[in-house]
Amino acid sequence: MGEVAVVREGSGPEVLLVHGGAGPRTTWGGMAALAERWTLAYVHRRGYPPSPPPQERQDFEVDALDLAPLLVGRPHVVAHSYGVLGTLIAVAAAPDSVRSLTLIEPPLNHLVPDDPEVARLERIGDAVLTHGMDSDPAELREFLRIAGAPIGDGPLPKNVVAGVRRAHGSRPTSQARPRLDVIRQAGVPVLVASGDHEAALERICDALAETLDGERSVHPGAGHFVAAAPGFTEQLETFLRKSITGRGSKFSR
């Protein structure tokens, strides 16, 4: 299928950055200063140039296959949104291949069963992936706002429409069942971060941190793009250093 592109900047221990529905620049732009002390390795998932397009669709199972060879050097891994799914699958297959995991607002809705708000988030998210621009207009806008798309009350911007079309037909997030038990048993240091902008996502992140016995942090101010929020970069760097030394507490809010 051809390898995905990885663009590296900086020097120091490698931090592999796996974006979700938005591209690397939008997702990770707020973290550029870390390149003074860390090697930031920006993964470009299939369909995001300069990586090749997907053969069929955006698919977290394919993402996992793409990520597997990138874990050979045992990097720290930071993943966002849809990108968390493939990351967790790849890490569960080789849990000793990462130094730490930072997971930002993943669509792991099954971790919070019988919650109506989480169930609604899953339903409208899967609907947008399935129907694209033919989704119910109100639900499409609701999902795009939660996902951090820059939309107002008028027509959707061209770049947002392009993003919806790129995601159209993706493997639904409701099908993802990564082996979280394997990752927890391996003792991988985990940080789960959220932006305090959507109650359902906060509950999912709480449940994920508990399931993985990980740290939990909340960074308001940038919506779904938590990596751009005030305090996130500092919290991440503290966590990365603790992951190397083995020191630190579980929770930070």
Side-chain angles (χ1 to χ4, degrees):
M1 292 189 296
E3 295 181 353
V4 295
V6 181
V7 178
R8 289 177 171 83
E9 297 179 359
S11 61
E14 182 164 291
V15 181
L16 192 71
L17 301 171
V18 186
H19 67 89
R25 181 175 298 181
T26 299
T27 305
W28 309 119
M31 294 173 48
L34 288 179
E36 297 177 5
R37 296 170 296 278
W38 307 83
T39 297
L40 301 182
Y42 298 92
V43 177
H44 293 66
R45 295 173 51 239
R46 293 185 183 276
Y48 296 80
S51 287
Q55 285 192 330
E56 296 181 10
R57 60 179 179 172
Q58 295 288 331
D59 189 334
F60 51 77
E61 295 282 0
V62 175
D63 288 344
L65 296 175
D66 288 333
L67 291 170
L70 303 178
L71 304 182
V72 172
R74 199 163 177 258
H76 299 274
V77 181
V78 182
H80 180 252
S81 196
Y82 195 94
V84 172
L85 306 181
T87 296
L88 288 173
I89 293 169
V91 172
D96 293 332
S97 63
V98 297
R99 294 183 184 276
S100 71
L101 273 176
T102 299
L103 310 171
I104 305 172
E105 295 201 350
L108 289 168
N109 305 290
H110 72 280
L111 294 178
V112 191
D114 304 319
D115 184 300
E117 290 181 310
V118 173
R120 175 176 172 77
L121 180 61
E122 178 177 77
R123 182 180 64 78
I124 65 174
D126 279 1
V128 171
L129 295 184
T130 301
H131 302 295
M133 291 301 297
D134 293 327
S135 304
D136 176 85
E139 291 188 347
L140 174 60
R141 284 183 175 273
E142 179 183 359
F143 178 77
L144 289 173
R145 288 192 177 95
I146 293 171
I151 62 173
D153 296 328
L156 296 179
K158 290 182 180 179
N159 64 321
V160 173
V161 172
V164 173
R165 288 176 174 159
R166 179 171 50 205
H168 187 185
S170 298
R171 185 184 289 271
T173 62
S174 58
Q175 295 180 10
R177 293 293 187 277
R179 290 292 307 276
L180 302 179
D181 58 321
V182 173
I183 296 172
R184 176 174 177 141
Q185 290 168 11
V188 177
V190 173
L191 171 65
V192 180
S194 61
D196 197 22
H197 65 101
E198 172 61 35
L201 287 172
E202 294 301 311
R203 294 184 196 120
I204 292 168
C205 288
D206 287 345
L208 180 60
E210 182 176 357
T211 300
L212 291 176
D213 192 26
E215 295 187 29
R216 180 77 172 88
S217 65
V218 180
H219 303 276
H224 188 46
F225 294 106
V226 181
F232 174 80
T233 299
E234 293 80 5
Q235 176 68 30
L236 174 63
E237 188 163 28
T238 297
F239 169 71
L240 296 178
R241 295 195 183 283
K242 287 191 300 186
S243 299
I244 294 172
T245 63
R247 298 193 302 270
S249 60
K250 286 292 180 186
F251 292 91
S252 176
R253 284 182 179 265

